Amino acid sequence: MDTVSVFTRVGGPTNRASEADRHVGKRIRERRVMLGLSQQQMADMIGVTYQQAHKYERGINRISAGRLFEIAQVLHVPVNYFFDGLDDDASETLSPRQRMCLELARNFAMIQNERHQEALSQLARALAAQVSVVEVIEECQAQRA
């Protein structure tokens, strides 16, 4: 019996993408969206085609250790970030709340004006602390003066 069929039969390595590959791809996509990068932008930054970046994110193609290290550098996270939650990853889909948080992070990252970012950040802190919006606006105006 050849080595390939032994590994395949006992659950060893194969060329097919696994649940771990899909999880890593999902984490890459989440982080890319958080940073407000398009697939094309990320692909350019790591030196691959858009199609290849898409396949990485879908878990269709496996990612080499070196390429994963490059992706981690581009996305400003440690390599182990992509494996967080792998053991307890029960579902492939994001909850509506998770999707909303990712969209919020993406939109925030796209705001060019730092003063607007700071104002939005203060508003979020105020809402989280149940402070009135009027107080936050007054604080922002006081800082400008």
Side-chain angles (χ1 to χ4, degrees), residues 20-67:
D21 296 314
R22 285 186 280 283
H23 177 82
V24 167
K26 184 174 90 172
R27 296 285 290 168
I28 290 171
R29 176 177 165 68
E30 287 173 3
R31 181 64 181 167
R32 176 184 60 75
V33 169
M34 259 189 243
L35 294 176
L37 295 172
S38 69
Q39 274 186 337
Q40 184 64 58
Q41 289 170 319
M42 187 185 79
D44 291 343
M45 293 169 88
I46 62 173
V48 299
T49 64
Y50 162 84
Q51 292 84 356
Q52 185 63 41
H54 177 76
K55 289 177 181 181
Y56 286 156
E57 288 186 3
R58 302 289 297 166
I60 296 167
N61 284 8
R62 293 186 143 187
I63 305 170
S64 71
R67 180 72 70 204

Side-chain angles (χ1 to χ4, degrees), residues 87-104:
D87 292 333
D88 53 56
D89 190 21
S91 73
E92 282 288 313
T93 59
L94 296 174
S95 71
R97 184 173 178 87
Q98 289 171 316
R99 196 172 295 281
M100 183 174 46
C101 287
L102 285 173
E103 184 179 351
L104 178 62

Side-chain angles (χ1 to χ4, degrees), residues 78-138:
V79 173
N80 67 339
Y81 169 87
F82 302 114
F83 298 95
D84 288 349
L86 182 59
D87 292 333
D88 53 56
D89 190 21
S91 73
E92 282 288 313
T93 59
L94 296 174
S95 71
R97 184 173 178 87
Q98 289 171 316
R99 196 172 295 281
M100 183 174 46
C101 287
L102 285 173
E103 184 179 351
L104 178 62
R106 181 183 197 174
N107 291 335
F108 183 85
M110 291 172 52
I111 297 172
Q112 299 293 320
N113 187 313
E114 287 184 29
R115 292 173 82 183
H116 291 164
Q117 283 184 334
E118 181 57 34
L120 184 57
S121 182
Q122 287 181 7
L123 176 61
R125 281 193 295 273
L127 291 173
Q130 300 296 322
V131 176
S132 81
V133 174
V134 174
E135 292 174 42
V136 173
I137 292 172
E138 289 171 354

